[in-house]
Amino acid sequence: MAGRLVTLTTDFGDGSPYVAAMKGVILGIDPSARLVDLGHGLLPQDVRHAAFFLAGCLPFFPPDTIHVVVVDPGVGTARALLHVEAGGQHLLVPDNGCWTLAVTQMGAPRVHRLAERRFWRESVSSTFHGRDILAPVAAHLARGVRPEELGPVVSEWVELPFPRASTEAGRLRGEVVFVDHYGNLISNIPGAAFRELGAGPVRVRVGRRVVTQCVDAYAEADPGTPVALVSSGGWLEVAVNRGNAAAVLKARVGTPVEVVRSTDETT
Amino acid sequence: MAGRLVTLTTDFGDGSPYVAAMKGVILGIDPSARLVDLGHGLLPQDVRHAAFFLAGCLPFFPPDTIHVVVVDPGVGTARALLHVEAGGQHLLVPDNGCWTLAVTQMGAPRVHRLAERRFWRESVSSTFHGRDILAPVAAHLARGVRPEELGPVVSEWVELPFPRASTEAGRLRGEVVFVDHYGNLISNIPGAAFRELGAGPVRVRVGRRVVTQCVDAYAEADPGTPVALVSSGGWLEVAVNRGNAAAVLKARVGTPVEVVRSTDETT
Amino acid sequence: MAGRLVTLTTDFGDGSPYVAAMKGVILGIDPSARLVDLGHGLLPQDVRHAAFFLAGCLPFFPPDTIHVVVVDPGVGTARALLHVEAGGQHLLVPDNGCWTLAVTQMGAPRVHRLAERRFWRESVSSTFHGRDILAPVAAHLARGVRPEELGPVVSEWVELPFPRASTEAGRLRGEVVFVDHYGNLISNIPGAAFRELGAGPVRVRVGRRVVTQCVDAYAEADPGTPVALVSSGGWLEVAVNRGNAAAVLKARVGTPVEVVRSTDETT
């Protein structure tokens, strides 16, 4: 029988041996595991970035997939490590809220705190629980250990406060929550609300800059022109065709984004 | 039976969830697919860079491999998406010419335009056809769907104009077409023509700089010395042993490269 | 039966076709091989960096794994290529010492020099032995070729001189040997020696800077504070909680590190 799918998501980069060490530990326990890299270039120790990353990909995976996530600024402190089951998928994560946004799309979570040391490496460092706890637990799960063997069920965990946009009539207010590899700015303003308001002419403010062209596809605009559109994840996105919106508009995570009808303001 | 090989090549980088979303979609439809990353650090929306990348690797893969390529500046516009079969391998690509250089080494292509929406995700965004069309089509192919089910055969597609070198007697003229990770400059001058002319002493001009040392291996030269040699892909390459030729020679894609006999010119 | 595990470690980066070409060659010979990326962002042509990288991950892998390593500044020269068997694992490496540190943790090595050209690609370039020799040999090994078929046993090879720390009573002297993705500084001072001396108050000098806070976990310190701790690999590490120690302390590989009792010096 083919091995279980085990994915890896970390902020370890590509030049340090940490990702490879986790792969070695997993395959050392379950040589049949089928490893899948989700991404190792997450912003170092940025839990909110990880949350948005995971929300953009985990819901697509099939049941029985095991996801190991290591963006863990609290490693070695009293923060718990969790097993989360949602929609038939399994997450092994630090209890820092990185997973809660993704799971809202996957189904009600059942959560265990990792406590049974017999599934960990014998010697556990205080700086690398990914290798010493999460990787071996993932491999044991892949070999058939049941979640309830890993530790007690818990009913409380850290929820990441995710900023909500305000969508009062005729004016949408939110902020940039993710900047992707191209420099595209993803906001927390729902695409549906933007589409409704954007049926007429609108102005999209990003910090102090104003964007007036709304499109469906990047290439509808001239190269270099900032545009507003609905992102592939369903949020208001500001992009520059063939360019980098973050650089052009001097924006980053946290920059305010506002949509108003053009007729509602002068200038 | 082991799953089908499905490779992924994108310009999505390593910190955005887009690659991972495609993997989830593929495995969600065919959990037995065996994913292989070819590269996700391709230059953003640079079709010519993608063309050279693919030409340097696709011909080595075995028949039945399915390759998904997403370097797609025209996403969401009327540009087609294609299934290309060549040498028994399968490519799923935007119709922007990124694949034509590679296929010249693989055999006559048979091309279908993707049109059958039953193999796509139910909801198709206008900014991420990689996730919503190419990934699910790849997974259906992996499960046994035949190419002719995907859409109609087409006989026209975008050919990428690839600059050809001139190889008149005693003088080779071309340009830099690829700069690799080390800063090595790969030209479009065939290695065979360079070897023939280079049997005697030659001068290799790269922009305004002149390189006079020809070698077989990088380490034959002193560290820091620019050298000309035949690349692993069979082209004239200019490199700097233990250094970065692009930086040292201030060259980039498009910089002219010329080879002349030393005796044919004065200094 | 599931295919053999074949790992890849290179300094090829993520935007050049070289990694993908090797994958194609391996799968072209053994389509059942299960490829695992260890890292492709190793410092270009930095054998010492590769040595530390491999020591941090290879020992965790199961027997029968085949590791292909291409950090190879001497490609095309007379340097040999080796098959190394240690602890039941197989390494295919250039004879430049990149593997000797890892193998000290894996068992006595049995070493063959690759000489049998029938396991190589028919045409061997002088700049890419990873694709033309190491990859096909890995695939043939995966299909069952025995190491002794690859070439003659050798008893001499390049050992990488790895700087040793001095641990005289009350004073530890070493240097930074690795800087990871976060900017953490890993030294060659054994963690055990540091723990013993650090039972009392100590001063850790990194170049001209002094660190006085010793912790078990990064997050015990205030953000931005430099701390000394034992790394996940068992060495004295200097880090900055939520920051980049290499930047903050202006340190890099080779920077001297010294630990002394606080009571042993004035200031």
Side-chain angles (χ1 to χ4, degrees):
Chain A
M1 206 196 72
R4 282 281 283 281
L5 291 166
V6 180
T7 84
L8 296 169
T9 306
T10 75
D11 60 358
F12 292 162
D14 193 33
S16 305
Y18 308 130
V19 171
M22 290 180 62
K23 292 180 175 178
V25 168
I26 292 171
L27 294 168
I29 295 170
D30 181 6
S32 75
R34 293 191 296 140
L35 301 178
V36 179
D37 291 299
L38 298 197
H40 300 295
L42 277 68
L43 294 181
Q45 310 184 331
D46 186 329
V47 173
R48 191 167 152 182
H49 185 268
F52 196 87
F53 183 101
L54 295 173
C57 61
L58 293 200
F60 298 109
F61 281 83
D64 289 334
T65 306
I66 298 165
H67 302 286
V68 181
V69 180
V70 192
V71 177
D72 188 14
V75 61
T77 64
R79 71 90 189 78
L81 292 168
L82 303 177
H83 171 273
V84 179
E85 195 173 350
Q89 297 190 53
H90 300 262
L91 285 68
L92 292 164
V93 291
D95 183 16
N96 60 21
C98 66
W99 58 278
T100 54
L101 183 66
V103 165
T104 57
Q105 309 164 56
M106 295 165 68
R110 196 166 65 111
V111 183
H112 294 83
R113 182 168 58 74
L114 303 189
E116 285 295 329
R117 296 184 70 102
R118 66 196 149 119
F119 300 119
W120 305 1
R121 289 190 71 225
E122 203 164 333
S123 157
V124 172
S125 75
S126 54
T127 58
F128 196 0
H129 288 180
R131 179 193 67 190
D132 298 337
I133 303 179
L134 297 179
V137 167
H140 285 294
L141 271 177
R143 289 177 58 124
V145 164
R146 284 167 297 119
E148 47 273 29
E149 299 179 68
L150 302 175
V153 170
V154 293
S155 56
E156 294 195 341
W157 48 79
V158 174
E159 285 273 351
L160 192 72
F162 207 77
R164 289 194 157 274
S166 88
T167 56
E168 53 187 76
R171 182 177 292 263
L172 310 174
R173 281 187 186 150
E175 61 188 84
V176 175
V177 293
F178 194 81
V179 179
D180 76 13
H181 176 60
Y182 303 103
N184 297 331
L185 307 166
I186 319 296
S187 79
N188 59 342
I189 295 176
F194 168 67
R195 272 219 185 83
E196 197 177 332
L197 194 64
V202 294
R203 302 165 69 86
V204 178
R205 294 181 174 280
V206 179
R208 297 176 171 194
R209 310 291 294 268
V210 176
V211 176
T212 56
Q213 190 172 354
C214 298
V215 298
D216 284 322
Y218 304 118
E220 289 175 31
D222 293 332
T225 310
V227 294
L229 73 171
V230 177
S231 79
S232 62
W235 304 98
L236 168 60
E237 171 180 336
V238 175
V240 167
N241 185 27
R242 307 248 179 172
N244 185 307
V248 169
L249 300 174
K250 298 185 198 312
R252 52 183 183 169
V253 170
T255 298
V257 178
E258 194 177 29
V259 186
V260 295
R261 288 201 192 89
S262 295
T263 50
D264 285 1
E265 53 172 29
T266 50
T267 299
Chain B
M1 205 196 72
R4 282 281 283 280
L5 291 166
V6 180
T7 82
L8 297 168
T9 306
T10 76
D11 59 358
F12 292 162
D14 192 33
S16 305
Y18 308 131
V19 172
M22 291 181 61
K23 292 180 176 180
V25 170
I26 293 170
L27 293 168
I29 294 170
D30 181 6
S32 76
R34 293 190 297 140
L35 301 178
V36 179
D37 292 300
L38 298 196
H40 301 295
L42 276 69
L43 293 181
Q45 309 183 331
D46 187 329
V47 174
R48 190 167 153 183
H49 184 268
F52 195 87
F53 183 101
L54 296 171
C57 59
L58 293 200
F60 298 108
F61 281 83
D64 289 334
T65 307
I66 298 165
H67 302 286
V68 181
V69 180
V70 193
V71 176
D72 188 15
V75 61
T77 66
R79 72 91 188 78
L81 292 168
L82 304 176
H83 171 272
V84 179
E85 195 172 350
Q89 299 191 52
H90 300 262
L91 284 67
L92 292 163
V93 291
D95 182 17
N96 60 20
C98 66
W99 58 278
T100 53
L101 183 67
V103 165
T104 57
Q105 308 165 57
M106 296 166 67
R110 197 167 64 111
V111 183
H112 294 83
R113 183 168 56 75
L114 303 189
E116 285 295 330
R117 296 184 69 101
R118 67 195 148 117
F119 301 118
W120 306 1
R121 289 190 72 223
E122 203 165 333
S123 156
V124 172
S125 75
S126 54
T127 57
F128 195 1
H129 288 180
R131 179 194 67 190
D132 298 337
I133 302 179
L134 298 179
V137 168
H140 286 294
L141 271 177
R143 288 177 59 123
V145 164
R146 283 167 299 117
E148 47 273 28
E149 298 179 70
L150 302 175
V153 169
V154 294
S155 56
E156 294 195 342
W157 48 80
V158 175
E159 286 272 352
L160 192 72
F162 206 78
R164 285 194 161 275
S166 88
T167 55
E168 53 187 77
R171 183 177 292 261
L172 310 173
R173 281 187 187 153
E175 61 187 84
V176 174
V177 293
F178 194 81
V179 179
D180 75 13
H181 175 60
Y182 302 102
N184 297 331
L185 307 165
I186 318 296
S187 78
N188 59 342
I189 295 176
F194 168 66
R195 272 219 185 83
E196 197 178 332
L197 194 64
V202 294
R203 301 165 69 88
V204 178
R205 293 182 176 279
V206 179
R208 297 178 171 192
R209 309 291 295 269
V210 176
V211 176
T212 56
Q213 190 172 354
C214 298
V215 298
D216 284 321
Y218 304 118
E220 289 174 30
D222 292 330
T225 309
V227 293
L229 73 171
V230 177
S231 80
S232 61
W235 304 98
L236 168 59
E237 171 180 335
V238 175
V240 167
N241 184 27
R242 307 252 178 167
N244 185 307
V248 169
L249 301 174
K250 298 184 198 312
R252 52 182 183 172
V253 170
T255 298
V257 178
E258 194 177 31
V259 186
V260 295
R261 287 201 193 87
S262 295
T263 51
D264 285 2
E265 53 172 31
T266 48
T267 309
Chain C
M1 207 196 72
R4 282 282 284 278
L5 291 166
V6 180
T7 83
L8 297 168
T9 306
T10 75
D11 59 358
F12 291 162
D14 192 34
S16 305
Y18 308 129
V19 171
M22 290 180 62
K23 292 180 176 179
V25 169
I26 293 170
L27 293 168
I29 294 170
D30 181 7
S32 75
R34 294 191 295 140
L35 301 177
V36 178
D37 292 300
L38 298 197
H40 300 295
L42 276 68
L43 294 181
Q45 310 183 331
D46 187 330
V47 174
R48 191 168 152 182
H49 184 269
F52 196 86
F53 183 100
L54 296 172
C57 58
L58 294 201
F60 299 108
F61 281 83
D64 289 333
T65 306
I66 298 165
H67 302 285
V68 181
V69 180
V70 192
V71 177
D72 188 15
V75 62
T77 65
R79 71 91 189 77
L81 292 167
L82 304 176
H83 170 273
V84 178
E85 195 172 350
Q89 299 191 54
H90 300 262
L91 284 69
L92 292 163
V93 291
D95 183 17
N96 60 20
C98 66
W99 57 278
T100 53
L101 184 66
V103 165
T104 56
Q105 309 164 56
M106 294 165 68
R110 197 168 62 113
V111 183
H112 294 84
R113 183 168 56 75
L114 303 188
E116 284 296 327
R117 295 183 71 101
R118 68 196 147 117
F119 300 119
W120 305 1
R121 289 189 71 224
E122 202 165 334
S123 156
V124 172
S125 75
S126 54
T127 58
F128 196 2
H129 288 180
R131 178 193 68 190
D132 298 338
I133 303 178
L134 297 179
V137 167
H140 286 293
L141 271 179
R143 289 176 58 122
V145 164
R146 283 166 299 116
E148 46 273 29
E149 298 180 70
L150 302 174
V153 169
V154 293
S155 55
E156 293 195 344
W157 49 80
V158 174
E159 287 272 352
L160 192 71
F162 207 77
R164 288 195 160 272
S166 88
T167 54
E168 54 186 76
R171 182 177 292 259
L172 311 174
R173 281 185 187 154
E175 62 187 84
V176 175
V177 292
F178 195 80
V179 179
D180 75 12
H181 175 60
Y182 302 102
N184 297 331
L185 308 165
I186 319 295
S187 78
N188 60 342
I189 295 176
F194 168 66
R195 273 219 185 82
E196 197 178 333
L197 194 63
V202 294
R203 301 164 70 86
V204 178
R205 295 182 175 280
V206 180
R208 296 178 173 194
R209 309 291 295 268
V210 176
V211 177
T212 56
Q213 190 173 355
C214 298
V215 297
D216 284 322
Y218 304 118
E220 290 174 31
D222 293 331
T225 309
V227 295
L229 73 172
V230 177
S231 79
S232 62
W235 304 97
L236 168 60
E237 171 180 337
V238 174
V240 166
N241 184 28
R242 306 252 178 168
N244 185 307
V248 168
L249 300 174
K250 299 186 198 312
R252 51 182 184 172
V253 170
T255 298
V257 178
E258 193 177 30
V259 186
V260 294
R261 287 201 193 90
S262 295
T263 49
D264 285 0
E265 51 173 30
T266 50
T267 298

